[in-house]
Amino acid sequence: DTEVTQTPKHLVMGMTNKKSLKCEQHMGHRAMYWYKQKAKKPPELMFVYSYEKLSINESVPSRFSPECPNSSLLNLHLHALQPEDSALYLCASSQEAGGGGEKLFFGSGTQLSVL
Amino acid sequence: AQSVTQPDIHITVSEGASLELRCNYSYGATPYLFWYVQSPGQGLQLLLKYFSGDTLVQGIKGFEAEFKRSQSSFNLRKPSVHWSDAAEYFCAVNTGGFKTIFGAGTRLFVKA
């Protein structure tokens, strides 16, 4: 299994809602990532978990809250988002943890619209 | 800080013609270099990677890339483009650790 699975594929939420994005991989990878991608832009790193511990937080607003319950799962909890947070949210994983040169395996993403 | 430049926002190529996508990086040493491809509404897929050794790297789907230290470039090539190659292509660098920095991307259009 070489897939990273993200659910849901699409999500529409209001600014007062609470929702969660889910990511799963069964490749035994020890690093997992959240990226945000606006239309016609490159992905931007948000968070990295290594061995289930938060390793990088790229100064992301607290309305985004990541969670890594185990080595195969990664969640992104959303609360009180703004319309400018509308984007494609990509999850990725990599085999090694922090050695550099990581090959990233991406999921198909969750297209989020905040109304 | 490292950076990646893809000078072409979009390129149009006829099916069957050759392709070259340009990428320049800025970093003091040789970083890890990557090319990823993204189809609309999808995640990114790794095409190939370079760190050391042979400067001509073979990837999936018939793509190759050549590292040129003197020009700080890592251009992607394909000898014969297929309609299914139409997508967004991202050059990326990693200088160690978890942070991979992506270029702005080049959109490839393929005309029949």
Side-chain angles (χ1 to χ4, degrees):
Chain A
D1 185 358
T2 58
E3 279 194 353
V4 175
T5 303
Q6 288 187 245
T7 55
K9 291 195 182 303
H10 302 274
L11 179 63
V12 180
M13 60 186 291
M15 289 189 284
T16 58
N17 292 158
K18 286 185 181 181
K19 296 286 185 183
S20 296
L21 310 185
K22 181 179 173 182
C23 174
E24 194 167 1
Q25 58 88 13
H26 296 287
M27 295 179 278
H29 289 177
R30 303 318 301 259
M32 296 186 77
Y33 309 69
W34 281 115
Y35 280 86
K36 174 182 177 180
Q37 186 179 25
K38 302 283 277 185
K40 300 187 190 302
K41 296 291 186 184
E44 294 179 347
L45 184 64
M46 299 175 72
F47 303 104
V48 181
Y49 274 84
S50 172
Y51 290 89
E52 301 158 48
K53 288 191 166 71
L54 184 64
S55 182
I56 292 179
N57 177 343
E58 290 287 275
S59 302
V60 179
S62 59
R63 58 184 183 270
F64 295 91
S65 176
E67 178 196 21
C68 190
N70 60 57
S71 61
S72 299
L73 283 176
L74 185 67
N75 298 321
L76 185 63
H77 303 297
L78 313 172
H79 177 228
L81 294 193
Q82 303 297 310
E84 59 265 28
D85 296 322
S86 299
L88 182 67
Y89 287 84
L90 293 165
C91 174
S93 68
S94 65
Q95 186 171 24
E96 296 167 13
E102 309 281 337
K103 294 181 186 179
L104 297 172
F105 291 77
F106 283 87
S108 297
T110 295
Q111 187 64 56
L112 174 68
S113 297
V114 182
L115 304 180
Chain B
Q2 68 271 24
S3 65
V4 186
T5 302
Q6 293 180 247
D8 303 306
I9 296 173
H10 54 79
I11 281 183
T12 300
V13 175
S14 296
E15 192 169 17
S18 63
L19 169 71
E20 182 168 27
L21 301 182
R22 296 184 291 163
C23 173
N24 293 94
Y25 67 91
S26 174
Y27 185 60
T30 300
Y32 295 94
L33 295 160
F34 306 84
W35 277 98
Y36 286 86
V37 61
Q38 184 179 31
S39 296
Q42 298 296 312
L44 283 73
Q45 182 183 23
L46 179 67
L47 289 175
L48 44 79
K49 166 189 169 182
Y50 173 80
F51 177 58
S52 63
D54 192 344
T55 57
L56 188 61
V57 181
Q58 301 299 319
I60 63 171
K61 304 186 180 190
F63 285 93
E64 65 179 27
E66 185 172 14
F67 170 67
K68 291 186 178 180
R69 185 189 306 275
S70 61
Q71 298 176 19
S72 297
S73 68
F74 187 56
N75 294 349
L76 183 71
R77 301 197 293 247
K78 187 169 185 178
S80 177
V81 169
H82 187 262
W83 64 267
S84 60
D85 293 323
E88 188 87 23
Y89 290 80
F90 292 98
C91 182
V93 301
N94 177 297
T95 56
F98 294 113
K99 284 189 161 185
T100 295
I101 307 298
F102 292 87
T106 297
R107 183 74 167 168
L108 174 65
F109 296 95
V110 180
K111 60 181 181 181

